[in-house]
Amino acid sequence: MSILRSQVVGCGSYLPARIVTNAELAARVDTSDEWIVQRTGIRQRHVAADDEPTSVVGLKAAQAAIADAGIDPSEIDLIIVATATPDHTFPATATQIQAALGITGGAAFDLQAVCSGFVFALATADKFLTTGGARAALVIGAETFSRILDWEDRATCVLFGDGAGAVVLKAAPGEGTLADRGILTTHIRSDGRHKDKLYVDGGAGSTKTVGFLRMEGKEVFRHAVTNLAETVRHTFEQTGLSGADIDWFVPHQANRRIIDATADKLGISHDHVVVTVDRHGNTSAASIPLALAEAHADGRIKRGQLVLIEAMGGGFTWGSALIRW
Ligand SMILES: CC(C)(COP(=O)(O)OP(=O)(O)OC[C@H]1O[C@@H](n2cnc3c(N)ncnc32)[C@H](O)[C@@H]1OP(=O)(O)O)[C@@H](O)C(=O)NCCC(=O)NCCS
């Protein structure tokens, strides 16, 4: 059966130049490099300059992805930016990136699912592309979490970083089998009962401030491992695949221990896992496309290989997608 598939035709990323090491944080709050590395695997993170809002960080990733795809930006008729740190309450960061790219056709909007944002945005773009609603989509995960961190709170400020990653997707014919190139499955979930475990304590509609990130770390950890394994099991049930079939597992990069525990639960060997959390920290919606771009650029992820992505974030939200690269 001939169907439409969303194929990844380009991938790129951007990291701000400034690197903040664990040692630098240890000079500001009561923590240590040893504690951070042992609990999270994080050694450093990038922090955006004052003149680098999310739209600028996201634009640079988008430009890299478009260059990698070798297409003209005017071909893109859908832009989705997954972000929890937009430049402004409105307009959407996506429309600012659209304008900076010189694109005047199609639609551009932001999507808010915190750390799961890229998976949700990819699933949304896939629906447009495979139903003829768009022909080429730019899906960006872009964040400046440094702006919403309480730099006095050692339990959260050591965990996050800034950056952006992007993919260009194009609708292309497929046979409707797992051998097709493109997005093969997506699963997204939410459960709003867990709001208080991971949230920002401000907002335009409540406090009229931006607020700071607050988290019950242990609770988030527990739910993350359970929910991530559940969403991937759906993928395996639907496709008949197992962990051994996955060429590259590219999880949301929040914590090395969560990544390892999830890979172990799913039977995915650690040498098939792309890890960037040591150098990037948790960049929320940007973490998966940053990791994809790194492994795509260095030749680990090759055309035709099976790539599994998954994420979990505030809300809670969680989800996964299986892509034949
Ligand atoms: C945050 C996290 C690393 C903490 O690790 P943990 O093993 O759960 O540690 P706890 O929260 O039990 O804290 C243990 C102690 O370390 C302390 N601590 C917290 N942050 C610290 C830091 N940066 N440096 C030193 N000590 C710290 C705590 O105050 C606590 O001290 P206490 O026992 O005297 O009260 C871990 O819970 C985690 O990664 N959770 C998931 C976070 C996440 O991924 N969020 C994003 C999801 S998208």
Side-chain angles (χ1 to χ4, degrees), residues 18 114 136 154 162 177 211 229 278:
R18 177 155 150 64
V114 207
R154 67 176 183 176
D162 300 340
T177 71
D278 52 330

Side-chain angles (χ1 to χ4, degrees), residues 21-229:
T21 62
N22 290 348
E24 192 176 337
L25 289 177
R28 286 157 69 165
V29 291
D30 183 14
T31 189
S32 65
D33 176 55
E34 191 193 3
W35 191 95
I36 301 169
V37 172
Q38 193 187 61
R39 303 294 175 109
T40 72
I42 299 168
R43 295 181 183 276
Q44 62 171 53
R45 70 288 293 144
H46 291 249
V47 171
D50 288 346
D51 62 354
E52 283 185 314
T54 297
S55 63
V56 170
V57 175
L59 172 66
K60 289 182 176 168
Q63 287 167 330
I66 291 168
D68 184 51
I71 64 165
D72 192 275
S74 63
E75 284 186 49
I76 293 165
D77 54 0
L78 177 67
I79 301 175
I80 308 179
V81 176
T83 188
T85 46
D87 292 16
H88 303 288
T89 301
F90 76 79
T93 300
T95 56
Q96 290 167 266
I97 294 177
Q98 181 195 33
L101 289 170
I103 300 172
T104 52
F109 58 89
D110 288 0
L111 186 149
Q112 161 65 291
V114 207
C115 296
S116 312
F118 183 76
V119 178
F120 276 57
L122 204 71
T124 305
D126 183 48
K127 300 289 179 268
F128 279 94
L129 291 167
T130 56
T131 55
R135 287 190 307 273
L138 176 62
V139 178
I140 306 169
E143 301 281 16
T144 48
F145 259 52
S146 60
R147 314 304 208 234
I148 54 164
L149 294 178
D150 174 355
W151 289 96
E152 308 286 312
D153 176 14
R154 67 176 183 176
T156 53
C157 77
V158 303
L159 301 176
F160 296 89
D162 300 340
V167 295
V168 178
L169 300 167
K170 269 182 129 175
E175 297 300 319
T177 71
L178 291 179
D180 287 348
R181 278 190 66 218
I183 296 174
L184 301 175
T185 65
T186 60
H187 291 95
I188 56 172
R189 288 285 313 278
S190 312
D191 185 345
R193 289 174 299 175
H194 301 288
K195 177 206 155 208
D196 292 343
K197 296 189 177 74
L198 179 53
Y199 68 105
V200 169
D201 64 4
S206 52
T207 59
K208 294 183 246 175
T209 62
V210 174
F212 291 118
L213 185 149
R214 307 291 174 204
M215 182 177 69
E216 291 176 31
K218 255 196 198 335
E219 278 293 300
V220 174
F221 194 109
R222 198 168 60 77
H223 282 272
V225 179
T226 309
N227 291 344
L228 292 170

Side-chain angles (χ1 to χ4, degrees), residues 281-293:
N282 179 349
T283 57
S284 187
S287 93
I288 292 174
L290 268 163
L292 286 173

